[in-house]
Amino acid sequence: MSASSSCLFNLPLIRFRSLSISSRFLRLPPPSSSSLRSVSVPISPRKFRAFSSGTTAMTDAKDAGMDAVQRRLMFEDECILVDETDRVVGHDSKYNCHLMENIEAKNLLHRAFSVFLFNSNYELLLQQRSKAKVTFPLVWTNTCCSHPLYRESELIEENALGVRNAAQRKLLDELGIVAEDVPVDEFTALGRMLYKAPSDGKWGEHELDYLLFIVRDVKVEPNPDEVAEIKYVSREGLKELVRKADAGEEGLKLSPWFRLVVDNFLMKWWDHVEKGTLDEAIDMKTIHKL
């Protein structure tokens, strides 16, 4: 056996963890020989408990129909727990944060954001949530609604940078909008609101929601695991959408957080969008309890 062939048997062991991620959203650089090394990753007791309880929950008959992608996100994503003053008090899985029994019994409250993206014609981009979504499937809502995660880049408090980083990440995940089209410094955090809303008998929302506005022309490629349909609407188009939802026409429903923003803030903020005076509407001191 030659020296070069015998070296093959001396390569370090590499352990791989299978990932369930669409290749459309995954970009991996080619491995270099210097990056090949044995890695041993310890599992904390807390993570082990979360995995164990998640496995049990996944076998629950009530969760049997949960989409595989949504199931992965429910157990892997760690939301930021806050108190009613928006002070970070811990973190927990997306699954636990959205169980109504936890919301009611433990008063679990997590940080969230809602993006309102307007094009250069000052039309608002809306999405209809995918049928696969665990909470509020197939409802119409603002451009993107999600959560900053318990990670360093999304915990930055200054100028709501962590939340803006999370918004940029989720616009790519849900709508295929690349980061270059939505720079984090182009988001304007206008305010915060605190609300609670049940989705069905099991799931619900209890969020301290950052309201982020941005005016950009973007290319949109919706991820079908997250989004069923999109549309741009003018003010009049939104008013018609609200009328249909109120009348129960076409089975059309609006998300509760979007409806709260529409009823309390959106139209006056839309004026500032058109005038280019969004900075005049900023109020990050108040937490509106709705």
Side-chain angles (χ1 to χ4, degrees):
M1 183 180 297
S2 68
S4 59
S5 62
S6 64
C7 288
L8 294 174
F9 297 97
N10 295 322
L11 287 173
L13 174 65
I14 308 167
R15 296 174 184 151
F16 294 91
R17 182 165 68 98
S18 64
L19 297 175
S20 175
I21 303 177
S22 169
S23 60
R24 176 184 169 197
F25 298 100
L26 188 62
R27 299 289 185 271
L28 291 178
S32 64
S33 58
S34 62
S35 67
L36 301 180
R37 58 189 180 89
S38 177
V39 178
S40 177
V41 180
I43 300 177
S44 69
R46 186 184 185 283
K47 290 292 185 183
F48 181 77
R49 288 196 300 272
F51 175 81
S52 300
S53 62
T55 304
T56 302
M58 280 188 258
T59 62
D60 188 327
K62 294 180 181 179
D63 296 335
M66 193 184 294
D67 173 80
V69 172
Q70 296 300 322
R71 181 187 294 118
R72 176 177 59 80
L73 295 175
M74 289 294 269
F75 290 101
E76 291 186 3
D77 284 359
E78 289 279 313
C79 293
I80 302 168
L81 297 179
V82 295
D83 63 18
E84 292 192 357
T85 69
D86 201 18
R87 181 177 64 89
V88 176
V89 296
H91 56 102
D92 208 337
S93 69
K94 183 178 177 182
Y95 185 98
N96 286 336
C97 287
H98 290 82
L99 283 172
M100 279 307 297
E101 63 183 270
N102 287 338
I103 292 171
E104 297 293 356
K106 302 177 183 178
N107 198 34
L108 288 190
L109 174 65
H110 60 275
R111 190 174 286 168
F113 64 83
S114 292
V115 174
F116 293 74
L117 184 148
F118 296 81
N119 62 18
S120 56
N121 293 321
Y122 306 121
E123 297 169 318
L124 174 62
L125 178 60
L126 303 182
Q127 67 157 280
Q128 184 185 32
R129 289 163 65 86
S130 165
K131 183 179 180 180
K133 297 291 282 186
V134 175
T135 58
F136 301 99
L138 294 178
V139 306
W140 281 92
T141 192
N142 50 286
T143 311
C144 179
C145 333
S146 192
H147 320 93
L149 300 181
Y150 194 81
R151 58 176 63 162
E152 184 177 0
S153 63
E154 298 183 12
L155 282 163
I156 302 170
E157 302 279 350
E158 185 176 2
N159 297 322
L161 179 57
V163 173
R164 290 186 284 126
N165 284 336
Q168 186 185 67
R169 170 178 59 82
K170 286 303 292 182
L171 283 168
L172 176 62
D173 288 349
E174 294 191 3
L175 295 163
I177 300 174
V178 297
E180 292 78 7
D181 284 352
V182 282
V184 291
D185 58 1
E186 291 290 321
F187 290 100
T188 301
L190 287 182
R192 294 173 292 175
M193 69 177 187
L194 193 160
Y195 77 95
K196 182 191 296 184
S199 175
D200 56 24
K202 181 173 183 176
W203 306 104
E205 294 284 6
H206 190 206
E207 297 184 328
L208 203 154
D209 196 7
Y210 284 65
L211 307 176
L212 305 178
F213 276 48
I214 186 169
V215 182
R216 302 282 292 186
D217 288 321
V218 298
K219 181 180 179 181
V220 183
E221 297 182 13
N223 174 359
D225 285 320
E226 299 284 346
V227 178
E229 190 177 341
I230 60 168
K231 65 170 71 174
Y232 281 96
V233 295
S234 63
R235 291 188 196 227
E236 293 306 312
L238 179 59
K239 290 176 182 177
E240 177 63 10
L241 203 68
V242 170
R243 185 197 67 77
K244 287 182 177 180
D246 287 346
E249 293 181 16
E250 303 172 11
L252 193 147
K253 295 180 180 179
L254 303 180
S255 73
W257 60 89
F258 180 46
R259 187 58 189 264
L260 286 171
V261 176
V262 170
D263 291 346
N264 291 278
F265 311 112
L266 184 55
M267 291 308 171
K268 60 184 178 184
W269 286 348
W270 209 317
D271 289 337
H272 287 287
V273 169
E274 294 179 349
K275 295 176 183 177
T277 56
L278 273 176
D279 287 351
E280 295 179 10
I282 295 173
D283 176 11
M284 291 301 292
K285 294 181 179 179
T286 305
I287 297 175
H288 301 275
K289 297 182 179 180
L290 303 175

